[in-house]
Amino acid sequence: MSLTPVRDITPALPDQFQERHIGPGPAEILRMVEATGASSLDALMDEIVPPDIRLKSPLRLPAPEMEFAYHRRLRGLAAQNKLFRSYIGQGYHDTITPAVIQRSVFENPGWYTPYTPYQAEIAQGRLESLLTFQTMVAELCGMEVANASLLDEATAAAEAMALLMRVNRRADATTFLVSNRVFPQVREVLAGRARPLGITLRFADLQDAEIGPDVFGLYAQSPDAHGETVDVRAIVDRAHAAGALVAIGADLLAMALFEPPGEAGADVVLGSAQRFGVPLGYGGPHAAFFATREKFVRQVPGRLIGVSVDSRGRRGYRMALQTREQHIRREKATSNICTAQALLANMAACYGVYHGPEGLKAIAARIHDQTTRLAAVVGATGWRQVNRTYFDTLRLEGDAAAVERVRRAADARGINFWYPGPGAIQIALNETVTESDLADIAASLAEGARTRAPAIPHELDETVSSGGRLRSSAFMTHPVFNSHHSETEMMRYIRSLERKDLGLDVAMIPLGSCTMKLNAAAELMPVSWPEFARMHPFAPLSQTAGYQAVFAELEGALREITGLSGVSLQPNSGAQGEFAGLLTIAAYHRAAGQPRRTVALIPQSAHGTNPASASMAGMSVVIVACDERGNVDVEDLTAKAGAHRDRLSCLMVTYPSTHGVFEGRIREICRIVHEHGGQVYMDGANMNAQVGLTSPAAIGADVCHLNLHKTFAIPHGGGGPGMGPIAVAAHLIPYLPGHPLVRVGGDGQPPVAAAPWGSASILLISHAYISMLGGTGVTDATRVAMLSANYLKARLEPHYPVLYAGATGRIAHELIFDLRPFKATSGIDEQDVAKRLMDYGFHAPTVSFPVPGTLMVEPTESEPLEELDRFCEAMIAIRAEIQAVADGRADKLDNVLKQAPHTAEDVSANEWPHTYSREQAAYPVAGLRQRKFWPAVSRIDNPYGDRNLVCTCPPLSAYEQ
């Protein structure tokens, strides 16, 4: 047999990035190809990808750049960004990231490479940290429960709107009353979400607006878009008296100083935790917070971390209640959110732990004091300060010509104010402001008024509080917030949490559909560069040329890779990408005079977020059957497309399929949908099997979303951040999401995220990935990813049935092992295998998705052959353990699988109650003696946690019990 590697698989230079990113070397690739029985890697690709969708020519991308050369070029682009001191506000504030948090969390692969904590036993560190975040948020807001973060403040407001509508008992109430002073981005995201849900928005001054029986809820911002704090009590009292509920967009830091909305009776409190040490990043990623009453806990969107116990009775943490709710309830799900902003929520939690309640109060008091002292002198510069109550923001009004003079004076000093309209200036202070900065602000104002700059007093003659009611209640009283205020203590605290988690820094994470590939340090380093990290999302475009150049290059690369004509970088998660794509299709149909096209055809095998997103977009979901091989049933599709011909909006299809196979009739499937007037939306979750070999355009798709946190190397962050840009065909470009403050996307189209380019700073990671791999590199990554999957199939299929394969017997980049037969013979199920893999030092594959009773495995291109073989060794050893139970050589209940995972405490205990040995529990294969990862707890009892729901840090007495 002739074994020839793919052309250019060997890097031309030893320090080329491709050699760093792709795990197997050329010799290992030859061995892997031989194991699959293929004659070459190219021949294997020919067996996997249908010929009618293969690209006819290589990707036309720039040549790959070496790491050093890329960083040098990017430094040049970064220098084109003009880093002004930002006093813009509008929900975004410059902040100080404590060095111990930046280095130990933000820049630490032990924190940014783990996956979402679905396997709780090896995620105890970040689960504990997220519980700390929830506790901090709930107590600052004066509420009973908080979730583990949402994507951004504007979408959190939209989730609050949907929650209030669900829990309101008046079925005929469909109006949401919104303050006319909410942030502009919040206003527009609310508008975009309200329309498909049948909600009518009405904007008004909530202090005296009429609240009729048609109103189910109210939304106010405090501080509002003018920077004025509002009388929340008065709004809440009026609303509740009228039978409506209230959500308040609040400032997390301000609530350390002033009465929180929860204590004033609000039903939901939300906002952004960005100013708790998370860099601006030109808009993200940032963790939104969401807090509410305990009676609404089962309606809370996103993730909720709860306290439970393990099988030994020890305290443990896990995701509670609505974990993967959208996958289970599908179109009936309350939200399509599949992720969170875990990494950023953990940064904010660490910020709260490091500073403690007294530190937070001191930071808030200092900002408010500076704002008050500045307010005391602005009159002397000819300006009228109009905010009656405020926390950190002044609104100055005066002559329009003077405003322009201030703008020029501020620009000359490297300062950005917010200019909301002719004759108005807003100045939002933050924790980075020094006395020198205050002097420069005053000088700019004076120059605009053509007067002398006044001296700002170091203190006022009397204590002045201009923010409203001062807070009197205690918050963050748990010892975790009062024990780690030196850097030594904080460093050890962070490391103690990190050691409880399994990330890519420990082992392979073979999760199907999740593409847990290398997140290279060279890709991530630029995210921390100040020129990118400290940019406000609403800074003038003239100051952001470096960012704009990166966006243009990335959009161009994604157009080439997808074969589609337009790109929106705005959606800040995969689920947001789905939603944005569907809204784009809906807008296209409306513009064509066909608003009745609202039916979405979705195969049975689709990701659970697909039907949830379609429902949120106002579509009716019609399920299309799959055949026995897992492919879309074309006859059923044809029948249903015909039945809904006049109302067909789109087909949502994942390609390769969720079953890990390239369906051979995909072009026919897309043609059928087009013939019946629909559009084709391709879910990009499996794009790692397409890049360079085929494309969404090649299969006939009109729009797709791209999980940059999968295919394009953005790390999963222990449960977020993600990015889900969409690419569209030319006819859909006018309908891409826009933004009220920056010209992007289609005219008049609502945004789907708060910031114009979503979580802009992490787009740098995908830009680096593509730039350093180039067209040949990204294509070879695809080839090796599929080689690795077929190598695992060749090695493990004799031991585990593989559920689906293509017509040639090949799979794409992932495969499904069917464990259902083992349950019948031994009682061992997929959960037992998942937990036992922890004892072997691995994160489990995806469990029971898309088929119950299975494991879906995706190795990616980044894992070296040694790690693939180590995984095979573990799976083969586990198969023998299953057989021992089936044969009666191991007890059906007291065996290594049912009792897994085993902690160090279990194995070293004086008493050993099991029928198997300690050695079999902890060291089932020899290699573990040199490389052992210990789970932090034994198997978590999930039902106990839901029956005894605790979602904040328990008091010390609970630990004693």
Side-chain angles (χ1 to χ4, degrees):
M1 178 186 299
S2 172
L3 293 176
T4 55
V6 67
R7 179 180 58 82
D8 293 335
I9 200 69
T10 305
L13 296 170
D15 56 350
Q16 194 165 348
F17 181 72
Q18 179 171 333
E19 187 178 64
R20 314 293 192 219
H21 178 79
I22 294 178
E28 294 175 323
I29 287 173
L30 287 174
R31 286 162 50 197
M32 293 166 66
V33 170
E34 184 176 17
T36 68
S39 60
S40 70
L41 185 52
D42 284 333
L44 180 62
M45 296 304 107
D46 290 339
E47 294 178 40
I48 295 172
V49 186
D52 64 332
I53 63 170
R54 285 291 293 269
L55 298 182
K56 302 300 187 289
S57 58
L59 292 174
R60 293 168 296 182
L61 294 174
E65 300 176 67
M66 292 182 290
E67 292 182 19
F68 181 80
Y70 173 74
H71 279 176
R72 183 167 60 185
R73 182 171 76 88
L74 194 65
R75 284 286 186 191
L77 294 179
Q80 295 179 27
N81 288 334
K82 299 176 183 177
L83 192 58
F84 280 29
R85 288 169 282 178
S86 173
Y87 308 124
I88 293 172
Q90 299 301 294
Y92 299 92
H93 303 269
D94 204 357
T95 185
I96 298 171
T97 306
V100 66
I101 297 174
Q102 175 159 327
R103 188 164 190 173
S104 299
V105 180
F106 191 49
E107 298 173 349
N108 181 354
W111 281 90
Y112 65 67
T113 67
Y115 186 64
T116 294
Y118 288 137
Q119 295 295 338
E121 295 83 357
I122 51 174
Q124 287 296 292
R126 83 198 95 119
L127 284 167
E128 182 177 337
S129 183
L130 290 171
L131 190 80
T132 300
F133 175 81
Q134 292 177 179
T135 302
M136 177 180 73
V137 167
E139 294 184 5
L140 278 168
C141 294
M143 300 299 276
E144 293 155 351
V145 293
N147 71 5
S149 76
L150 293 176
L151 299 175
D152 60 39
E153 181 172 15
T155 54
E159 294 288 351
M161 173 178 68
L163 181 149
L164 296 185
M165 187 177 190
R166 288 194 302 271
V167 302
N168 191 287
R169 296 177 180 177
R170 295 180 298 185
D172 56 340
T174 59
T175 297
F176 194 51
L177 192 56
V178 181
S179 166
N180 52 19
R181 284 198 187 177
V182 296
F183 296 141
Q185 67 273 19
V186 173
R187 176 188 180 111
E188 295 305 312
V189 168
L190 283 173
R193 288 285 194 96
R195 179 172 184 163
L197 295 177
I199 295 173
T200 300
L201 293 187
R202 193 166 86 236
F203 296 91
D205 182 345
L206 298 189
Q207 299 292 347
D208 55 14
E210 180 183 353
I211 307 174
D214 61 321
V215 175
F216 66 84
L218 287 75
Y219 181 79
Q221 199 99 41
S222 183
D224 62 20
H226 287 195
E228 192 163 37
T229 55
V230 304
D231 186 349
V232 173
R233 281 185 179 275
I235 293 172
V236 169
D237 289 347
R238 293 186 65 243
H240 285 175
L245 302 174
V246 179
I248 300 293
D251 185 295
L252 201 59
L253 191 58
M255 290 186 287
L257 203 60
F258 300 108
E259 181 183 65
E263 293 181 5
D267 301 289
V268 177
V269 184
L270 61 94
S272 173
Q274 177 266 315
R275 70 190 308 172
F276 273 36
V278 179
L280 284 164
Y282 203 32
H286 305 144
F289 64 86
F290 190 102
T292 188
R293 302 291 174 196
E294 190 170 5
K295 62 183 177 181
F296 300 142
V297 68
R298 294 183 181 274
Q299 296 289 334
V300 171
R303 293 176 178 157
L304 196 69
I305 308 306
V307 181
S308 189
V309 295
D310 73 359
S311 59
R312 307 295 192 271
R314 293 171 297 219
R315 187 169 304 281
Y317 308 102
R318 32 78 79 176
M319 292 200 290
L321 297 181
Q322 63 275 74
T323 300
R324 302 195 80 168
E325 185 248 14
Q326 73 288 348
H327 287 267
I328 297 167
R329 300 191 65 204
R330 299 171 74 84
E331 69 270 18
K332 294 182 175 63
T334 57
S335 172
N336 72 337
I337 293 174
C338 189
T339 186
Q341 298 282 26
L343 180 66
L344 300 315
N346 286 328
M347 286 182 67
C350 287
Y351 183 94
V353 168
Y354 195 38
H355 290 294
E358 295 306 315
L360 294 181
K361 282 189 280 189
I363 293 168
R366 179 173 177 270
I367 293 171
H368 184 60
D369 174 70
Q370 288 176 325
T371 310
T372 304
R373 288 189 288 122
L374 180 63
V377 301
V378 294
T381 63
W383 296 95
R384 185 168 59 93
Q385 201 288 113
V386 298
N387 282 344
R388 294 164 296 175
T389 55
Y390 53 81
F391 167 54
D392 60 4
T393 302
L394 305 179
R395 182 179 174 94
L396 312 179
E397 295 183 355
D399 180 72
V403 169
E404 287 307 308
R405 290 195 294 271
V406 169
R407 190 196 300 263
R408 290 193 296 271
D411 284 352
R413 290 177 172 83
I415 290 174
N416 281 332
F417 299 140
W418 182 238
Y419 304 96
I425 303 169
Q426 288 180 202
I427 304 169
L429 302 187
N430 57 69
E431 68 168 319
T432 71
V433 174
T434 65
E435 294 302 309
S436 174
D437 294 328
L438 286 178
D440 284 348
I441 292 170
S444 299
L445 295 174
E447 195 168 324
R450 292 174 174 165
T451 186
R452 179 179 297 179
I456 296 178
H458 288 290
E459 59 181 26
L460 299 175
D461 293 336
E462 58 184 41
T463 301
V464 177
S465 172
S466 302
R469 296 183 180 91
L470 289 173
R471 179 170 196 145
S472 59
S473 59
F475 60 94
M476 294 166 60
T477 58
H478 191 276
V480 71
F481 300 113
N482 298 279
S483 305
H484 309 290
H485 302 326
S486 74
E487 182 164 332
T488 300
E489 292 168 318
M490 191 65 193
M491 174 182 65
R492 291 172 180 164
Y493 167 74
I494 292 171
R495 288 283 289 136
S496 72
L497 297 177
E498 179 191 341
R499 282 191 288 266
K500 298 176 183 178
D501 288 9
L502 190 150
L504 286 175
D505 60 325
V506 174
M508 171 186 179
I509 303 179
L511 285 154
S513 188
C514 298
T515 316
M516 299 296 295
K517 63 173 64 179
L518 171 71
N519 313 124
E523 296 161 355
L524 278 106
M525 284 171 61
V527 179
S528 295
W529 294 353
E531 298 89 343
F532 294 120
R534 297 188 65 192
M535 182 69 68
H536 193 286
F538 306 147
L541 289 179
S542 60
Q543 298 172 15
T544 66
Y547 258 121
Q548 300 307 318
V550 169
F551 297 159
E553 290 184 16
L554 181 57
E555 288 177 3
L558 297 180
R559 286 195 297 269
E560 174 65 15
I561 288 168
T562 62
L564 297 170
S565 301
V567 171
S568 169
L569 298 175
Q570 188 178 109
N572 53 1
S573 79
Q576 288 290 82
E578 292 177 13
F579 183 63
L582 295 174
L583 288 188
T584 299
I585 290 171
Y588 166 76
H589 286 313
R590 287 198 302 272
Q594 297 180 312
R596 293 183 66 252
R597 290 194 173 273
T598 58
V599 169
L601 300 179
I602 302 179
Q604 285 176 329
S605 62
H607 283 94
T609 53
N610 286 181
S613 295
S615 179
M616 279 178 52
M619 296 183 180
S620 300
V621 174
V622 174
I623 300 299
V624 177
C626 290
D627 63 22
E628 69 280 357
R629 298 180 65 88
N631 299 321
V632 173
D633 185 326
V634 179
E635 286 64 39
D636 189 54
L637 171 75
T638 303
K640 286 173 177 172
H644 299 284
R645 174 187 293 272
D646 296 333
R647 296 186 58 231
L648 180 59
S649 174
C650 63
L651 166 74
M652 299 186 77
V653 63
T654 302
Y655 200 73
S657 74
T658 309
H659 297 141
V661 176
F662 281 96
E663 299 187 30
R665 299 176 70 180
I666 187 63
R667 288 182 60 82
E668 178 187 356
I669 288 169
C670 294
R671 178 181 55 77
I672 291 168
V673 174
H674 288 146
E675 287 176 351
H676 290 83
Q679 298 286 288
V680 175
Y681 168 91
M682 193 204 85
D683 186 307
N686 294 339
M687 194 71 191
N688 210 46
Q690 284 200 34
V691 177
L693 299 180
T694 184
S695 70
I699 73 170
D702 302 287
V703 55
C704 72
H705 89 266
L706 301 168
N707 293 106
L708 298 189
H709 50 289
K710 296 184 181 183
T711 305
F712 298 98
I714 291 175
H716 285 72
M723 276 293 276
I726 59 172
V728 300
H731 62 281
L732 294 177
I733 291 176
Y735 311 104
L736 289 172
H739 197 273
L741 299 174
V742 180
R743 187 173 179 79
V744 294
D747 290 335
Q749 297 307 312
V752 295
W757 291 278
S759 297
S761 66
I762 56 175
L763 294 173
L764 295 164
I765 300 168
S766 298
H767 180 266
Y769 172 84
I770 295 171
S771 298
M772 291 191 291
L773 281 176
T776 56
V778 296
T779 303
D780 285 342
T782 304
R783 289 171 161 138
V784 175
M786 291 200 283
L787 169 63
S788 296
N790 281 275
Y791 175 76
L792 292 185
K793 180 175 184 287
R795 285 211 58 192
L796 293 176
E797 193 167 23
H799 307 277
Y800 297 90
V802 174
L803 197 56
Y804 298 110
T808 62
R810 303 296 188 185
I811 43 109
H813 65 308
E814 61 190 5
L815 67 160
I816 300 173
F817 292 121
D818 190 356
L819 272 63
R820 290 172 294 184
F822 304 136
K823 187 169 185 179
T825 59
S826 67
I828 301 300
D829 61 21
E830 72 283 1
Q831 286 290 346
D832 298 324
V833 175
K835 303 308 180 186
R836 180 59 172 158
L837 274 167
M838 298 176 191
D839 289 331
Y840 286 82
F842 284 104
H843 193 291
T846 300
V847 176
S848 290
F849 176 82
V851 180
T854 65
L855 295 178
M856 182 162 60
V857 179
E858 180 181 357
T860 84
E861 71 276 10
S862 297
E863 294 301 336
L865 180 56
E866 177 186 13
E867 187 73 349
L868 297 177
D869 284 340
R870 197 172 74 88
F871 178 72
C872 290
E873 178 188 37
M875 290 294 289
I876 292 168
I878 289 173
R879 178 66 185 88
E881 293 172 348
I882 296 172
Q883 192 62 43
V885 178
D887 294 344
R889 291 179 286 114
D891 188 88
K892 283 194 174 291
L893 296 178
D894 187 27
N895 59 67
V896 289
L897 290 132
K898 288 293 183 184
Q899 299 301 319
H902 300 85
T903 67
E905 182 182 352
D906 296 337
V907 174
S908 61
N910 290 331
E911 295 184 3
W912 182 251
H914 303 296
T915 56
Y916 52 90
S917 70
R918 299 171 193 262
E919 182 178 40
Q920 188 181 358
Y923 301 109
V925 294
L928 290 170
R929 294 188 180 277
Q930 289 76 42
R931 179 180 178 177
K932 178 66 180 177
F933 175 85
W934 293 100
V937 294
S938 300
R939 196 175 302 198
I940 293 290
D941 186 336
N942 289 320
Y944 177 93
D946 282 347
R947 290 194 307 268
N948 304 276
L949 190 64
V950 177
C951 298
T952 56
C953 293
L956 284 183
S957 59
Y959 289 93
E960 293 166 0
Q961 293 168 9

